[in-house]
C-alpha cells in the first residue's frame, strides 16, 4: 500500500483573557509591549480588561480593552504593530512628536524604539507582523516602517479591504486552515501594510534646504505619492501644495528639475513596478496594473516602462 501523505496541521494559537485586577493586566500587557514605569488611574469603581488574539509565527490579530487611564513608556522589538482604536482615546509620543489616534485609522507603532503612550478607557485592535517576515517580502534586511504615519488614502482602502476579507477567517479557530492559506493571509496583511505606509523619508530627502518653498514642494511630493492612483493633475497638486499651477511648475523645476506631469508619471511607474514585482503570476495582469496606475494605453505604458526600468512589464511580472 502506498504511504499516505501527511497533512500539515494548522499552527495558529488562540489566547483569551478577561479580568478586573489592574496589576494582573499590567503584567500581561507589559509582557508583550514592555511597559516601563506604568502609571494607572482608575476611571470607574470596578476596572475591566480583556484580550483576545489569534496568531502564528508570521502574524497575529489582537483585540483588547483596558478601562483605566494609563500612561507609560513602551517598546516592541522584532515585530511591526499596526494599531487602531475602537473606543476611548489614545495619544502616542515619539521623537518629539505627538500623535492622537483616530478611531478606525491605523498607524504603525514605533519599532525598536521607546515611545510614550496615554490610553484612556481604550478599546484597540492590533495586527502584529513578524519583522523578518515583512522584510523577506520587501527584500530589504533592514526595512522598517516610518513610525506614527497616517496611511495614504489609497493605502487605507487597501488595508481596510484586507481586514474585512480575512479577519473572520483568521479568527475562526474552529475552522482548519492549511499552511498555504495561513501564509497567503499573512502575506496579504503584510503587503497591505507596505502599501498603506510607504516610507516618505526618501521623498523628502530629494528636497534639500528649509523654508516656505521647500515645505510646499514637500507637500506636493506627499500629495502625489498618496494620490497617484487617482485622476489627479497639475491643478490638484498645486492646490495641495499651496501654490498656483505656474508656481508649482517653477518650484519643481528649480528643486527637482521635473515638471508636475513627469513627477506624477515617475511615481506611477514606480508604483506599477512594485505591484508587478510583488504580483501573483496567476492573478495579476500587466493590463490591470497599468489601468490601476492611470496608464490607459498599454503599448505606451510598456514602452515608457521599458525605457525607465530596462525591461518590459511582463518580464518584471514573470521574473519575480
Amino acid at each position: 500500500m502506498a504511504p499516505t501523505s501527511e497533512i500539515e496541521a494548522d499552527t495558529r494559537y488562540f489566547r483569551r483573557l478577561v479580568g478586573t485586577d489592574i496589576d494582573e493586566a499590567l503584567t500581561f500587557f507589559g509582557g508583550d509591549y514592555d511597559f516601563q514605569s506604568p502609571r494607572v488611574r482608575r476611571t470607574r469603581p470596578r476596572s475591566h480588561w480583556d484580550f483576545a488574539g489569534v496568531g502564528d509565527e508570521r502574524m497575529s490579530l489582537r483585540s483588547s480593552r483596558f478601562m483605566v487611564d494609563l500612561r507609560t513608556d513602551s517598546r516592541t522589538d522584532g515585530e511591526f504593530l499596526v494599531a487602531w482604536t475602537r473606543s476611548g482615546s489614545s495619544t502616542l509620543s515619539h521623537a518629539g512628536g505627538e500623535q492622537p489616534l483616530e478611531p478606525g485609522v491605523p498607524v504603525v507603532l514605533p519599532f525598536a524604539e521607546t515611545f510614550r503612550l496615554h490610553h484612556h478607557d481604550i478599546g484597540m485592535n492590533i495586527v502584529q507582523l513578524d519583522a523578518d517576515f515583512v522584510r523577506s517580502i520587501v527584500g530589504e534586511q533592514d526595512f522598517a516602517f516610518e513610525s506614527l504615519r497616517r496611511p495614504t488614502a489609497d493605502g487605507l482602502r487597501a488595508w481596510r479591504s484586507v481586514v474585512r476579507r480575512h479577519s473572520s477567517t483568521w479568527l475562526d479557530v474552529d475552522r482548519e486552515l492549511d499552511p498555504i492559506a495561513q501564509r497567503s493571509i499573512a502575506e496579504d496583511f503584510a503587503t497591505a501594510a507596505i502599501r498603506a505606509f510607504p516610507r516618505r523619508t526618501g521623498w523628502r530627502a530629494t528636497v534639500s534646504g528649509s523654508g516656505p518653498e521647500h515645505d510646499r514642494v514637500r507637500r506636493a511630493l506627499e500629495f502625489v505619492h498618496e494620490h497617484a492612483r487617482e485622476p489627479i493633475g497639475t491643478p490638484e497638486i498645486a492646490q495641495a501644495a499651496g501654490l498656483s499651477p505656474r508656481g508649482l511648475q517653477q518650484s519643481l523645476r528649480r528643486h527637482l528639475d521635473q515638471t508636475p506631469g513627469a513627477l506624477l508619471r515617475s511615481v506611477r511607474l514606480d508604483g506599477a513596478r512594485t505591484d508587478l514585482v510583488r504580483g501573483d503570476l496567476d492573478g495579476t495582469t500587466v493590463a490591470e496594473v497599468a489601468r490601476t496606475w492611470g496608464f490607459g494605453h498599454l503599448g505606451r505604458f510598456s514602452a515608457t516602462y521599458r525605457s525607465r526600468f530596462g525591461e518590459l512589464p511582463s518580464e518584471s511580472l514573470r521574473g519575480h
Side-chain angles (χ1 to χ4, degrees), residues 272 275-276 279-293 298 301 313-314 317:
D275 284 358
L276 289 166
D280 178 359
L281 187 57
D282 294 327
T284 303
T285 68
V286 171
E288 176 189 13
V289 171
R291 187 167 54 251
T292 297
W293 286 98
L298 187 57
F301 166 68
S314 57
L317 180 59

Side-chain angles (χ1 to χ4, degrees), residues 164-184:
R164 287 194 301 269
R165 189 164 69 249
H166 291 313
S167 291
S168 59
T169 300
W170 185 266
L171 295 172
D172 185 1
V173 291
D174 293 326
R175 172 184 173 182
E176 193 78 10
L177 276 182
D178 63 61
I180 294 176
Q182 281 183 236
R183 182 181 181 92
S184 176

Side-chain angles (χ1 to χ4, degrees), residues 120-132:
H120 184 89
D121 289 345
I122 194 71
M124 178 171 282
N125 291 342
I126 291 179
V127 176
Q128 167 267 332
L129 295 163
D130 178 74
D132 289 339

Side-chain angles (χ1 to χ4, degrees), residues 152-211:
T152 64
D154 174 69
L156 180 59
R157 288 191 292 270
W159 177 259
R160 287 175 172 171
S161 175
V162 167
V163 171
R164 287 194 301 269
R165 189 164 69 249
H166 291 313
S167 291
S168 59
T169 300
W170 185 266
L171 295 172
D172 185 1
V173 291
D174 293 326
R175 172 184 173 182
E176 193 78 10
L177 276 182
D178 63 61
I180 294 176
Q182 281 183 236
R183 182 181 181 92
S184 176
I185 291 174
E187 286 182 345
D188 281 355
F189 270 98
T191 301
I194 294 164
R195 180 168 163 183
F197 305 101
R199 287 182 292 184
R200 296 167 166 85
T201 51
W203 315 344
R204 298 189 190 91
T206 60
V207 183
S208 59
S210 60

Side-chain angles (χ1 to χ4, degrees), residues 83-148:
W84 63 99
T85 59
R86 302 188 313 274
S87 59
S89 64
S90 178
T91 300
L92 306 179
S93 303
H94 174 255
E98 191 173 86
Q99 177 70 59
L101 301 191
E102 298 180 36
V105 178
V107 299
V108 180
L109 303 189
F111 174 74
E113 294 182 319
T114 300
F115 63 98
R116 182 160 297 173
L117 63 82
H118 178 197
H119 292 336
H120 184 89
D121 289 345
I122 194 71
M124 178 171 282
N125 291 342
I126 291 179
V127 176
Q128 167 267 332
L129 295 163
D130 178 74
D132 289 339
F133 174 62
V134 175
R135 287 167 171 169
S136 71
I137 293 175
V138 176
E140 299 178 19
Q141 293 184 350
D142 60 350
F143 172 85
F145 293 98
E146 291 185 24
S147 303
L148 302 184

